[in-house]
Amino acid sequence: GQQLNQSPQSMFIQEGEDVSMNCTSSSIFNTWLWYKQEPGEGPVLLIALYKAGELTSNGRLTAQFGITRKDSFLNISASIPSDVGIYFCAGTTSGTYKYIFGTGTRLKVLA
Amino acid sequence: KAGVTQTPRYLIKTRGQQVTLSCSPISGHRSVSWYQQTPGQGLQFLFEYFSETQRNKGNFPGRFSGRQFSNSRSEMNVSTLELGDSALYLCATKRTGGTDTQYFGPGTRLTVL
């Protein structure tokens, strides 16, 4: 099925470091969502973005809706061990009603 | 308010059997989408229901089917199970159909032996 390009695929970082990941699409999107998934559980919504250029924070997480509407970025500041998991981006455009998902970024935090 | 609920959480079946999974959306959510998640293929879209009608469909064989009831609850059925159907099945719901925010349930882990 169709997927977004999400990078990096995996990251190993030290506790306290900042993390950046991004998603790019060949299509223009109207909504971008960022999720975190832990083993055996469903993805949990972190941040939702609805407008090009929008910058939204949720605690130590900050996400941006790219100005071209074809990309989005997620930053995690001062990472902690519980940030471990897989982070997914998802985008959709009006009229399709269907979300397209990135391939995921697997984050591991070393204490 | 209560989140998306899925039942059962775990299932073990044998090849050739059929299975039905259930998803209850967040109150007020009328759109329910189903996804299959495997380590090798990631999140794959199965189908989406809105107001009891299938509105979108992914590239899965006809053994995978679904339906939605008038209270927006949805079921997914897989007939003639194959080993490759072992996966985490997730449902996600949203209020209407457009670009609304989508929330996932905890998933049903299906193992086919």
Side-chain angles (χ1 to χ4, degrees), chain A residues 89-102:
Chain A
C89 62
T92 192
T93 189
S94 58
T96 64
Y97 308 112
K98 188 173 77 170
Y99 275 93
I100 308 300
F101 281 81

Side-chain angles (χ1 to χ4, degrees), chain A residues 1-3 30-31 33 35 37 39-45 48 50 86 88 90 92-103, chain B residues 9-10 31 33 35 37 41-45 48 55-59 88 90 94 97-107 109:
Chain A
Q2 185 181 358
Q3 289 186 317
N30 292 343
T31 300
L33 305 178
Y35 295 91
Q37 186 177 26
E41 299 295 327
V44 174
L45 182 69
Y50 302 105
I86 302 176
F88 288 98
T92 192
T93 189
S94 58
T96 64
Y97 308 112
K98 188 173 77 170
Y99 275 93
I100 308 300
F101 281 81
T103 48
Chain B
R9 290 293 313 274
Y10 303 92
S31 166
S33 294
Y35 297 85
Q37 187 178 36
Q41 296 295 318
L43 269 165
Q44 299 294 318
F45 174 77
E48 184 226 1
R55 184 164 58 184
N56 274 298
K57 191 175 188 307
N59 297 322
L88 182 66
L90 294 159
K94 55 190 177 186
T99 54
D100 289 346
T101 306
Q102 181 172 263
Y103 297 88
F104 280 89
R109 170 72 64 187

Side-chain angles (χ1 to χ4, degrees), chain A residues 3-72:
Chain A
Q3 289 186 317
L4 301 172
N5 293 318
Q6 185 171 350
S7 64
Q9 283 190 327
S10 61
M11 301 181 76
F12 289 77
I13 62 169
Q14 292 287 338
E15 183 177 359
E17 289 185 352
D18 296 343
V19 174
S20 290
M21 60 191 79
N22 69 278
C23 276
T24 58
S25 166
S26 56
S27 306
I28 289 175
F29 285 147
N30 292 343
T31 300
W32 283 95
L33 305 178
W34 284 92
Y35 295 91
K36 177 189 176 187
Q37 186 177 26
E38 298 186 27
E41 299 295 327
V44 174
L45 182 69
L46 298 173
I47 293 178
L49 302 162
Y50 302 105
K51 207 163 65 169
E54 181 181 355
L55 188 71
T56 298
S57 293
N58 177 7
R60 294 178 295 103
L61 278 62
T62 301
Q64 183 162 25
F65 194 139
I67 291 176
T68 65
R69 294 170 61 194
K70 292 185 176 182
D71 55 8
S72 181

